[in-house]
Amino acid sequence: MSASDDPRRVHFQSPEYLVDRLDAIAELFDKDRTDLLVEAIREYIEDTADSETFQELVATKYYDDQLEFETVKQLVGAETAQRLRLLKADLEDEPLDLAAPDDIDVYDGDATAVEPAGDDEQ
């Protein structure tokens, strides 16, 4: 068991009816209340981390320097965090110093326009 897997005591308050329902479910499945809570939290975190809205929020806050890379890694996983890091580096790079394109007729006047067929002609 790694240090991050070591159990940590957490105290929180919950409406009594939720605790009663949780205890009834735990008894039904012959499980411990803590096991059910940990499982529910794990599933919630996985579902949330997979959400496109959540990932967009993490990316936005990371790009705006409101989240550190290590936090991003915890929130969306190492692979997605690395992708965000690379994209952020690209966004922060100075644009290439390229001259504006010359206004040259690359088709030498031989360009042909094609009109798309209407819906009734197909």
Side-chain angles (χ1 to χ4, degrees), residues 64-77:
D64 290 342
D65 295 322
Q66 295 175 6
L67 287 176
E68 297 293 324
F69 178 74
E70 289 302 315
T71 303
V72 172
K73 214 160 67 167
Q74 287 179 329
L75 293 170
V76 295

Side-chain angles (χ1 to χ4, degrees), residues 19-34:
V19 176
D20 292 343
R21 288 184 72 189
L22 180 64
D23 287 343
I25 293 169
E27 186 176 327
L28 181 68
F29 287 106
D30 195 29
K31 289 191 170 189
D32 185 71
R33 177 196 297 166
T34 299

Side-chain angles (χ1 to χ4, degrees), residues 2-95:
S2 73
S4 65
D5 291 337
D6 289 342
R8 180 187 296 180
R9 180 171 298 278
V10 178
H11 175 81
F12 64 93
Q13 294 182 336
S14 172
E16 190 173 340
Y17 78 93
L18 287 178
V19 176
D20 292 343
R21 288 184 72 189
L22 180 64
D23 287 343
I25 293 169
E27 186 176 327
L28 181 68
F29 287 106
D30 195 29
K31 289 191 170 189
D32 185 71
R33 177 196 297 166
T34 299
D35 293 339
L36 290 180
L37 285 170
V38 170
E39 183 179 329
I41 292 169
R42 184 180 296 116
E43 287 179 17
Y44 176 81
I45 290 172
E46 288 173 3
D47 290 348
T48 301
D50 289 342
S51 157
E52 186 176 327
T53 303
F54 178 78
Q55 291 194 14
E56 288 174 2
L57 178 62
V58 170
T60 299
K61 291 196 175 278
Y62 179 58
Y63 296 151
D64 290 342
D65 295 322
Q66 295 175 6
L67 287 176
E68 297 293 324
F69 178 74
E70 289 302 315
T71 303
V72 172
K73 214 160 67 167
Q74 287 179 329
L75 293 170
V76 295
E79 185 177 332
T80 301
Q82 187 60 32
R83 192 172 339 109
L84 293 175
R85 177 189 268 177
L86 293 171
L87 289 171
K88 183 178 181 181
D90 281 348
L91 291 171
E92 290 174 346
D93 278 347
E94 291 295 320

